[in-house]
Amino acid sequence: MQELYLKVISAGSSLNYPHAYWGPGIRDDYIFHFVLSGRGYFEMGGKKHLITKGQSFLIYPGNTVNYYPDKEEPWEYIWVNFTGAEAEKLLKYTAFSLKKPVTPAELSGRTEKAFFALHESFKDVSPAGVCRSIAELRNIFASYMELYPSAPLKLSEHTALIEYIEKNCLNQSFSLDDTAKRFGLSRISLYRRFKKEMGVSPKEHIISIKAERACDLLKTTDLSVKEISYSLGFSDPLYFSRFFKAETGLSPTEYKP
């Protein structure tokens, strides 16, 4: 069976053993913990964190960790153990890191509900249950992305932005304003970072992509000018024809072999 991009290994809670200790030791996979009540301590990388109700902590695979309840007010928590090629990518959209493995205490509500939903879906071992568990894990990630987000990434670190523009700029609904919001940037910030990285503005890059794709479609397909126009995100074939001539010096019909 092909390895899943994101896979729930196990899920559970400490409700039946609130005084349990774990570690020091290492885990093979990622583990999210969400504290439901009480207090406890989490140690990783030589740092000791006090964890209280509403906070989460993330265990990274291969790192020595130790976590245990407070003696006077032992915690109760719910957890999910996960792995998969997509996990590291999703974590980059959150503020979790080896240096910051603990969230603030304001992440209850949606985060807590997502944990309990995953806990329930994990009890169903059918293919549908497995699918629901992965979906609920994605909901947990989405909650952290919104409530504990990473700082906007520099473009040189954020090839996903360039890939997104290149893959979506031919859609009629595409806009740079929406793209900037999607990646947590202002329109001006997107422009400056893109030009610094690529040497051209986003608009110039999109024009180049559309012109190159238009030439390719005119040369290698029997599509009409109108069909090519719509395929490239132009709602008006006449506007496409003017665009193409401005870029190549020829009209689409003159260019077409």
Side-chain angles (χ1 to χ4, degrees):
M1 180 178 178
Q2 186 176 7
E3 181 67 27
L4 296 172
Y5 284 109
L6 195 63
K7 183 178 182 181
V8 177
I9 304 297
S10 60
S13 72
S14 67
L15 299 179
N16 296 324
Y17 42 95
H19 295 277
Y21 287 68
W22 197 94
I26 64 171
R27 298 290 202 177
D28 294 329
D29 305 303
Y30 293 99
I31 310 177
F32 277 136
H33 291 74
F34 181 86
V35 177
L36 302 170
S37 64
R39 299 153 31 113
Y41 299 92
F42 171 58
E43 298 177 8
M44 186 175 75
K47 293 187 67 176
K48 182 177 179 180
H49 306 268
L50 171 64
I51 316 292
T52 61
K53 178 181 178 180
Q55 287 186 278
S56 303
F57 63 96
L58 172 62
I59 293 175
Y60 283 78
N63 288 268
T64 301
V65 297
N66 188 26
Y67 49 105
Y68 48 91
D70 180 76
K71 292 181 179 179
E72 296 182 359
E73 193 179 352
W75 61 12
E76 292 180 340
Y77 58 75
I78 193 166
W79 52 267
V80 55
N81 183 347
F82 61 95
T83 188
E86 196 177 0
E88 186 174 346
K89 179 180 177 181
L90 292 174
L91 284 170
K92 288 182 179 179
Y93 293 96
T94 74
F96 281 111
S97 69
L98 287 170
K99 293 183 178 180
K100 294 175 60 179
V102 179
T103 70
E106 297 84 27
L107 302 189
S108 55
R110 279 179 294 170
T111 310
E112 182 175 347
K113 290 178 181 178
F115 268 93
F116 275 106
L118 186 147
H119 190 264
E120 286 301 311
S121 62
F122 187 74
K123 297 175 183 178
D124 181 358
V125 297
S126 70
V130 172
C131 188
R132 289 191 191 96
S133 294
I134 295 172
E136 295 301 343
L137 178 56
R138 290 185 183 279
N139 281 336
I140 291 173
F141 269 108
S143 177
Y144 288 132
M145 288 175 191
E146 292 174 348
L147 302 173
Y148 192 51
S150 64
L153 298 176
K154 294 180 180 179
L155 197 58
S156 58
E157 303 168 349
H158 206 162
T159 56
L161 173 58
I162 298 173
E163 292 176 358
Y164 179 85
I165 290 174
E166 292 178 341
K167 289 180 179 179
N168 291 277
C169 67
L170 301 184
N171 298 331
Q172 289 188 21
S173 60
F174 175 82
S175 82
L176 287 173
D177 285 334
D178 290 342
T179 301
K181 291 177 183 178
R182 180 183 182 90
F183 286 91
L185 301 169
S186 68
R187 175 69 179 265
I188 294 175
S189 179
L190 183 149
Y191 171 88
R192 289 174 177 169
R193 294 182 181 185
F194 193 101
K195 189 164 186 177
K196 182 178 180 180
E197 179 73 13
M198 301 294 289
V200 296
S201 71
K203 185 176 180 180
E204 289 170 330
H205 190 57
I206 291 169
I207 287 173
S208 176
I209 291 173
K210 290 192 174 189
E212 183 178 346
R213 182 60 174 154
C215 290
D216 180 59
L217 292 175
L218 286 166
K219 277 187 174 180
T220 62
T221 73
D222 294 325
L223 294 174
S224 68
V225 172
K226 182 178 181 180
E227 290 170 329
I228 291 174
S229 170
Y230 286 121
S231 298
L232 298 177
F234 293 93
S235 58
D236 183 353
L238 291 178
Y239 180 78
F240 163 68
S241 296
R242 290 195 296 270
F243 160 84
F244 188 83
K245 188 164 186 176
E247 294 302 311
T248 66
L250 299 172
S251 69
T253 53
E254 291 171 333
Y255 186 88
K256 194 173 180 66

